[in-house]
Each structure stands twice: as structure tokens, then as C-alpha cells.
């Protein structure tokens, strides 16, 4: 839920920051609702004060032998009026809650202006895209020619935007998952194997509901959803808890399949491994102290970059503009791997700081030095999207004769296999 204190105490500044997202969130509605709520509370408190004063008068009046009936009648009338106000206050509270649940996080002050991905700002690059002395093939053609990528059978089993890997393609997926988890646990992340189904409260806690309800797979006759990312269960591990501040930062990593109703027309993204309804992903996650969270974001991003560097995949890092930020995000770095078939960098990870936005919705707090419960900051990133990493390996390590070399860091996880060929 959006921080109601920010709206009450810094309305104009909050409105300015949210306007950077390029949308009108009708914050004046909040002012109207909140003003009416305050009026009702003030009326109720004034009447309760009169009740209290009258209650104190009655013993004295009785002692003096005076008639207390008029005062009792007045108290009864006050009580009835107070009770009559309560449903209106409850209705406004519910309306305010619904309104605040639909307001996104405010962008961090350093987030660049802009309305779409085209306005994101490049921060740095690593590695140089390989210049081939032959016409490179897209990964879907490579995979099908090598017999390791089988979208036709996946479509027969399920439908479009599902894929099946075979043989050494499937083994590479397993190898990458193990490699990524080993790297992250070496960096201090606790490995988690979480459920891939979450209920509505958990989805609301991370801000995926109500914002992304149309993009989620909802299980019929239940209030369960297939998770769109391991961020969902990892964030909810400490939901509605006050954790020991000495433990921060808390660091988790997890592999899960992820499920999304990816939108968009048919084309390049839906032919290969880039934009699927089901996709494997390794996630890294942190709970951090507010004063340290942006330093932790740099560390988390570096941990995701480490995977690309160890695999020898060229990439760049961009900072998302305000209009491209996710609903819950305060700031996000995108890691974009070089894809020869696209002749450009393609997103393989997003690393984000949500500040206290998710923690406020999920009730995740720690005690500060004075013993006061404070909301943590939450951070997460893909470490990495496995399908997109596979696609990048196939394309960047392809040979003129159609073979695909295995990156050296992955060879031990492939049982010593150094290449994939049609004879493999």
C-alpha cells in the first residue's frame, strides 16, 4: 500500500514524483476522501468529549438531587449520532485502502525522465559484441538444427509460447540453473526452494495485485495464482514479521519456473526463448536497512552481472526511466545481453530497489536502535533469466558450421562437454 503519510505531509512533492511516470493517478480523490474522513473523525471525537464531560457531571447532579434525565437523553442522542457515523468512516477507510493499493511507488530522485524503454539511460558496458565472419543464425534456427529446441512438440502438448528443450539443450538449462545458484550461494545468498503457487495476499504484498491481475495465471475455483517470478514467495517469507535488525541484509536466491500471460503480437520474440508463458528463472532477493539499500542494490546488480561475466557474454547496464518502471519499483537497472540475431542488447535481468513499498504492503519490519519497528527495504533481481541466457549462449557461441561452443565456466556443469553439434 502506498505511504499515506507521504500524501498527507508532502502531497505536492509526491504528486510531482508520481507524474514522472507519465500517468494521472487522480490524487485529488485522495484529498477529498481524506478530508471527509478527518471531518468525520473530528465530529466523532468532539461528541465523545461531550459524552465524557456529561458522564462526569451525572454523579454531581445526582448528589445535588437534580434531574439527570435531560443529560442522559443528550448522551443517548450523542451515542446514536456517533454510531451513525461509524459506517461512513468504515466505507471511506475501505475506499482509501483500495485507492492506495492502486498507487505505484514514487521513483527515486535519480531516476531519469522518460516514458518508455527508449528513454532508458545506458550506465556501462562489459565485453565487446563478436563480429562474425559468417551470417549468424537466430537461436531458434540453431536449436532446431541441433535437435535441442522443439517448439512444435511444446505447442502440441500445451500451445503457443511454450517451449521444450531436448538432449543437451535440456542439460544446458539444468547446468545453468546449478551454475547460477552456486555463484549466488557463494556470495552469501541462502538457497530457497519455494512454492510456485501463491495466494492473493502474497501477490498483493509484492504489488503484483491488483496491478498485474490480467497478466497472471489464476487457478480456477481458488484464489491461487501461478507465480510470475520467485520474487513473490521470497518477499513473503517474512511477511507480517518483525525480524532481528542484526540479520540485515537478509539474502535469498531461488530457482523456479515462472508464469506470465505475455502480451504482444507474434514475431521474433515468440519464435524463440525470449517471451514465453512459462520460463525458468533464478532470482536473487534482499531485505535491507533503508540507509543501506542503494549500496545493496549495487551489490545485488554486481552479483547478477557476475553470471554474465563468468559466461563471457557481452552486456550493458541501463537505468530505467520513470515511465518504464514497474508498479512497485523505486529504481531499476536492466542488464541487457548482446543478441546477434537482434543486433542489439536484450534484457536478461532487472535489478530493483522497492524501498519500503513492498514491506509496507507485506508488513515486514525490523527494530531500529531505539527499539522502534521500521519497515525494511526490499530488493530483487533476476540472476538470471535462464531461457534468455541460453538463447544468448547459442547465438554468441555459434560456429560457422552450426555447432555451439559451451562457455568454459559451464563445461564442468555439462559433464565436460565442450560443444553441441548435430552429432552430439
Amino acid at each position: 500500500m502506498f505511504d499515506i503519510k507521504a500524501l498527507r505531509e508532502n502531497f505536492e512533492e509526491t504528486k510531482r514524483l508520481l507524474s514522472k511516470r507519465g500517468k494521472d493517478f487522480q490524487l485529488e480523490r485522495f484529498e477529498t476522501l481524506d478530508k471527509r474522513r478527518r471531518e468525520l473523525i473530528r465530529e466523532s471525537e468532539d461528541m465523545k468529549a461531550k459524552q465524557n464531560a456529561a458522564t462526569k457531571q451525572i454523579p454531581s447532579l445526582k448528589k445535588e438531587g437534580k434531574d439527570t434525565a435531560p443529560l442522559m437523553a443528550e448522551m443517548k442522542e450523542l451515542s446514536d449520532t456517533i454510531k451513525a457515523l461509524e459506517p461512513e468512516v468504515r466505507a471511506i477507510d475501505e475506499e482509501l485502502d483500495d485507492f492506495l493499493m492502486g498507487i505505484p511507488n514514487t521513483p527515486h530522485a535519480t531516476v531519469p525522465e522518460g516514458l518508455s524503454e527508449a528513454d532508458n539511460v545506458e550506465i556501462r558496458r562489459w565485453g565487446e559484441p563478436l563480429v562474425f565472419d559468417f551470417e549468424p543464425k537466430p537461436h531458434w534456427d540453431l536449436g532446431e538444427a541441433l535437435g535441442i529446441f522443439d517448439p512444435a512438440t511444446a505447442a502440441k502438448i500445451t500451445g503457443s509460447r511454450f517451449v521444450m528443450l531436448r538432449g543437451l539443450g535440456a542439460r544446458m538449462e539444468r547446468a545453468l540453473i546449478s551454475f547460477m545458484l552456486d555463484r549466488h550461494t557463494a556470495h552469501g545468498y541462502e538457497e530457497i526452494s519455494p512454492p510456485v503457487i501463491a495466494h492473493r495476499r502474497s501477490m498483493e504484498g509484492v504489488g503484483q495485485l491488483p496491478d498485474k491481475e490480467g497478466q497472471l495465471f489464476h487457478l480456477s475455483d481458488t484464489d491461487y495464482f501461478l507465480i510470475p517470478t520467485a520474487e513473490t514467495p521470497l518477499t513473503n517469507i517474512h511477511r507480517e514479521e518483525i525480524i532481528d535488525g542484526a540479520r540485515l541484509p537478509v539474502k535469498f536466491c531461488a530457482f523456479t519456473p515462472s508464469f506470465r500471460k505475455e502480451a504482444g503480437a507474434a514475431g521474433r520474440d515468440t519464435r524463440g526463448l525470449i517471451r514465453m508463458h512459462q520460463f525458468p528463472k533464478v532470482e536473487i532477493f534482499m531485505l535491507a536497512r533503508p540507509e543501506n539499500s542503494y549500496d545493496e542494490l549495487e551489490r545485488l546488480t554486481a552479483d547478477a552481472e557476475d553470471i554474465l561475466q563468468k559466461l563471457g557474454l557481452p552486456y550493458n547496464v541501463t537505468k530505467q526511466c520513470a515511465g518504464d518502471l514497474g508498479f512497485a519499483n523505486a529504481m531499476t537497472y536492466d542488464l541487457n545481453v548482446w543478441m546477434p540475431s537482434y543486433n542489439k542488447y536484450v534484457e536478461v535481468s532487472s535489478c530493483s530497489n522497492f524501498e519500503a513499498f513492498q514491506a509496507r504492503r507485506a508488513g515486514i519490519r525490523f527494530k531500529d536502535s531505539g527499539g522502534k519497528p521500521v519497515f525494511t527495504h526490499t530488493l530483487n533481481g533476476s540472476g538470471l533469466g535462464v531461457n534468455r541466457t541460453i538463447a544468448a549462449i547459442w547465438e554468441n557461441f555459434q560456429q560457422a558450421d552450426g555447432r555451439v561452443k559451451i562457455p568454459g565456466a559451464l563445461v564442468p556443469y555439462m559433464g565436460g562437454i565442450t560443444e553441441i553439434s548435430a552429432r552430439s
Side-chain angles (χ1 to χ4, degrees), residues 12 122 126 141 194 215 240 259 269 289 353 380:
E12 291 302 326
E122 184 175 85
W126 186 92
D141 285 346
Q215 298 176 27
E240 296 167 6
F259 306 87
D269 283 358
R289 290 177 176 271
N353 190 344
N380 86 278

Side-chain angles (χ1 to χ4, degrees), residues 2 19 27 32 77 123 145 154 162 181 241 339 373 413:
F2 196 84
S19 71
L27 297 183
T32 301
E77 185 177 343
I123 305 298
F162 291 87
L181 290 173
E241 292 182 14
M339 294 290 289
Y413 292 86

